[in-house]
Amino acid sequence: GAVVSQHPSRVICKSGTSVKIECRSLDFQATTMFWYRQFPKQSLMLMATSNEGSKATYEQGVEKDKFLINHASLTLSTLTVTSAHPEDSSFYICSAEDRGAYNSPLHFGNGTRLTVT
Amino acid sequence: GENVEQHPSTLSVQEGDSAVIKCTYSDSASNYFPWYKQELGKGPQLIIDIRSNVGEKKDQRIAVTLNKTAKHFSLHITETQPEDSAVYFCAAKDAGKSTFGDGTTLTVKP
């Protein structure tokens, strides 16, 4: 089945530094990838939609200068949390759609636990 | 936009019993309804899905039903096992955009 690989699974960084999270579709091409943030015991909060070769579309309230998204190829999207602060600590998850499948499920990565100290 | 409501938020059952989780959606244009299972510290994984031209689908102990007229769909797990304990999310999809329910934490007690 379709596999999405997300790295790193855990990262601890100091306040003010930047962190990059990678999301790769391993056996399919993904025109669109999605980035979510999940707080404990809550649902998935869509942050942005990443489209290959074009700018990401951010949801209302998400700072695009703080959460930089790059989708340079059909198999890779990256999320960079710039100048991270403790309030950015969270569980970040990516998902991808198979470009060749209509009305297909999302394939999720295993998430990245970010802790900003 | 689409709005998906999911109930209950928590569900505790005895091993071997059945579990039912229900979702309603608001946008009649939604035509694809997947269910995801999320284990602690992991990303959600698809367990079953149903398209709007089908009323019911079954895969071993898991089944999903869809009532398009009433705009609701349900997940049914029979003969529950402790490994079924997880958070379950329903979703409604239209034109590439998925809207998720708030999740149900299922606990199966041995």
Side-chain angles (χ1 to χ4, degrees):
Chain A
V3 177
V4 171
S5 176
Q6 184 174 344
H7 291 281
S9 57
R10 289 179 176 272
V11 59
I12 301 172
C13 71
K14 292 188 176 181
S15 189
T17 61
S18 295
V19 173
K20 181 185 282 188
I21 302 169
E22 290 191 350
C23 182
R24 293 181 185 271
S25 57
L26 296 187
D27 49 3
F28 66 99
Q29 293 184 326
T31 308
T32 305
M33 290 186 174
F34 303 89
W35 288 95
Y36 306 85
R37 185 171 179 175
Q38 189 176 36
F39 294 99
K41 298 188 177 183
Q42 292 193 22
S43 189
L44 303 160
M45 184 189 82
L46 180 65
M47 299 174 65
T49 301
S50 167
N51 299 296
E52 186 264 339
S54 64
K55 291 184 178 180
T57 304
Y58 290 82
E59 295 298 305
Q60 193 172 8
V62 178
E63 298 177 60
K64 61 181 179 182
D65 294 332
K66 179 165 190 62
F67 298 99
L68 299 178
I69 291 172
N70 183 278
H71 193 157
S73 77
L74 286 171
T75 59
L76 174 65
S77 177
T78 61
L79 167 68
T80 301
V81 182
T82 63
S83 187
H85 288 95
E87 56 265 31
D88 298 323
S89 298
S90 192
F91 192 53
Y92 293 88
I93 308 174
C94 69
S95 71
E97 282 185 323
D98 186 338
R99 69 186 296 219
Y102 173 73
N103 248 354
S104 60
L106 294 172
H107 306 289
F108 287 87
N110 265 335
T112 297
R113 172 71 59 192
L114 171 63
T115 303
V116 185
T117 60
Chain B
E2 176 66 276
N3 181 50
V4 175
E5 294 191 0
Q6 182 172 345
H7 298 281
S9 57
T10 60
L11 179 59
S12 181
V13 300
Q14 207 66 37
E15 182 177 0
D17 288 349
S18 296
V20 180
I21 303 170
K22 299 182 179 182
C23 288
T24 60
Y25 61 100
S26 60
D27 189 350
S28 57
S30 290
N31 53 20
Y32 176 66
F33 307 91
W35 285 89
Y36 298 93
K37 175 184 181 182
Q38 185 178 24
E39 296 179 345
L40 195 62
K42 296 186 177 181
Q45 299 297 313
L46 177 76
I47 55 170
I48 197 167
D49 57 7
I50 192 166
R51 289 175 172 79
S52 59
N53 58 345
V54 175
E56 184 172 356
K57 183 177 179 181
K58 189 173 181 180
D59 182 5
Q60 299 183 336
R61 296 187 297 109
I62 297 173
V64 57
T65 58
L66 170 65
N67 183 326
K68 283 176 55 181
T69 304
K71 296 200 194 74
H72 65 69
F73 55 113
S74 301
L75 176 71
H76 304 252
I77 306 175
T78 59
E79 300 172 32
T80 53
Q81 300 166 5
E83 51 264 38
D84 294 329
S85 297
V87 179
Y88 292 81
F89 292 99
C90 64
K93 188 176 179 185
D94 170 46
K97 182 163 184 176
S98 296
T99 303
F100 292 89
D102 285 342
T104 297
T105 301
L106 173 64
T107 303
V108 180
K109 293 184 274 190

